[in-house]
Amino acid sequence: MTKLQKRGTTLKTDTSFSYAELTEGQQCEIKRELLAADIDAFADASGDHNPLHTDAEFARAAGFKDRIAHGMLLASWISASLAHTLPGKGTVYLRQSLEFRQPALPGDKLTIRLTVSEKKRRGRVVIDCVICHEDGRDVLRGSAEVIAPN
């Protein structure tokens, strides 16, 4: 298993695996800490200012420990991981399924795990995608289909 460390919002290591280089079961992990600034920036970029994401008091009154990350913010981390790590530069994103299982809060240390689950024809690859808390609880699970770089 390839483990790549990530700090902040920019991947330090760009990789690229061609379709021929990918194998079923191949995996990578990227560690990230969710920052309040990530949530704020995503709210501004997306226009989604739901108070569950932007107002800690509102989120607590709704039963959460703190304001929660947008699910699509976390999904965007998967997109970035596909584009920069596995398969990497030149990946074409075709589809994604997602299941949001737990909230992610500012300060949470998360792991993004990508696993090649199926190689299809014409360069298409199915990749299982998981984001989990450092204690192992899944925050998000899904599956992506991409065209791997040549």
Side-chain angles (χ1 to χ4, degrees):
M1 173 170 58
T2 304
K3 288 193 178 191
L4 301 171
Q5 295 295 315
K6 179 174 176 60
R7 292 189 159 276
T9 59
T10 304
L11 284 167
K12 292 185 180 230
T13 304
D14 279 338
T15 60
S16 186
F17 296 93
S18 69
Y19 177 80
E21 294 171 316
L22 293 169
T23 59
E24 291 182 5
Q26 187 173 357
Q27 188 175 84
C28 75
E29 288 186 353
I30 300 157
K31 308 275 186 191
R32 274 198 81 158
E33 181 174 354
L34 177 63
L35 305 176
D38 295 329
I39 297 170
D40 295 337
F42 191 84
D44 288 340
S46 68
D48 181 354
H49 294 279
N50 180 332
L52 288 173
H53 307 304
T54 59
D55 183 333
E57 277 188 39
F58 184 92
R60 282 193 213 49
F64 296 98
K65 292 180 182 177
D66 197 348
R67 60 195 185 124
I68 60 174
H70 304 75
M72 296 312 289
L73 165 61
L74 301 177
S76 75
W77 288 3
I78 290 173
S79 177
S81 300
L82 292 165
H84 292 280
T85 308
L86 184 71
K89 295 180 282 184
T91 296
V92 177
Y93 210 157
L94 298 174
R95 71 177 52 96
Q96 177 78 56
S97 68
L98 297 169
E99 178 185 357
F100 303 103
R101 302 178 60 114
Q102 297 279 325
L105 310 174
D108 281 354
K109 291 174 178 49
L110 303 172
T111 299
I112 303 154
R113 183 176 306 111
L114 304 178
T115 306
V116 176
S117 62
E118 180 183 358
K119 289 180 71 175
K120 297 176 138 185
R121 297 183 343 199
R122 290 181 263 157
R124 292 175 185 243
V125 181
V126 177
I127 299 178
D128 291 336
C129 310
V130 176
I131 298 180
C132 62
H133 287 282
E134 62 187 334
D135 66 7
R137 290 178 296 127
D138 287 351
V139 173
L140 177 157
R141 294 188 71 80
S143 179
E145 185 172 341
V146 301
I147 299 174
N150 293 330

